[in-house]
Amino acid sequence: MDRLTLLKFQKDIWQIARQIPAGKVATYGQLATLVKPPATVAADTYKAFAARWVGGAMAACPEDVPWQRVVNSQGKISDRPGSQHQRQLLENEGVVFDAKGKIDLNRFGWKP
DNA sequence: ATTATGACTCCCA
DNA sequence: GTGGGAGCCATAA
């Protein structure tokens, strides 16, 4: 996976992420299935690691990407510095967290 | 060149 | 439903 391919991959991720409406969330794995896997990556490899690459893309995303609407497969916000802010942003958009800090993906999950 | 680490997911206890 | 380990890529040190 060369630098250029990775860059294009990130760009695809961001494009998808920008389509998530306010008040809805998508998972890393979901974004991974929506974008076109790079031809240089084997299918099983992609399946196993795409989510991490999505995470990397989120870490480097531009200002106009709603990164806060991307959560992990359990519907929880990934534990990291700033996650508190992320939760607040989502609550402002109407997303509801349960007592365990989890989002009901059946209600708030984004369906493209 | 080698090592450690990660905004994850799957599978099995 | 929760918790811990494996998976095996890319990046930073």
Side-chain angles (χ1 to χ4, degrees), chain A residues 63-108:
Chain A
E63 284 292 325
D64 63 332
V65 175
W67 56 270
Q68 72 271 22
R69 304 195 188 116
V70 182
V71 299
N72 63 27
S73 66
Q74 301 180 9
K76 288 196 291 197
I77 294 177
S78 302
D79 187 19
R80 67 180 168 71
S83 58
Q84 207 165 6
H85 180 223
Q86 177 174 7
R87 172 171 175 156
Q88 185 129 42
L89 287 174
L90 289 175
E91 286 178 335
N92 287 344
E93 295 178 351
V95 176
V96 176
F97 293 76
D98 68 10
K100 293 165 194 147
K102 213 155 63 172
I103 300 170
D104 184 358
L105 291 178
N106 289 321
R107 288 208 308 157
F108 299 106

Side-chain angles (χ1 to χ4, degrees), chain A residues 41-55:
Chain A
V41 180
D44 51 348
T45 298
Y46 181 78
K47 182 183 163 195
F49 282 86
R52 290 195 158 187
W53 294 337
V54 173

Side-chain angles (χ1 to χ4, degrees), chain A residues 25-62:
Chain A
V25 298
T27 68
Y28 294 92
Q30 184 177 9
L31 292 186
T33 60
L34 290 175
V35 301
K36 187 165 56 67
T40 59
V41 180
D44 51 348
T45 298
Y46 181 78
K47 182 183 163 195
F49 282 86
R52 290 195 158 187
W53 294 337
V54 173
M58 288 297 106
C61 71

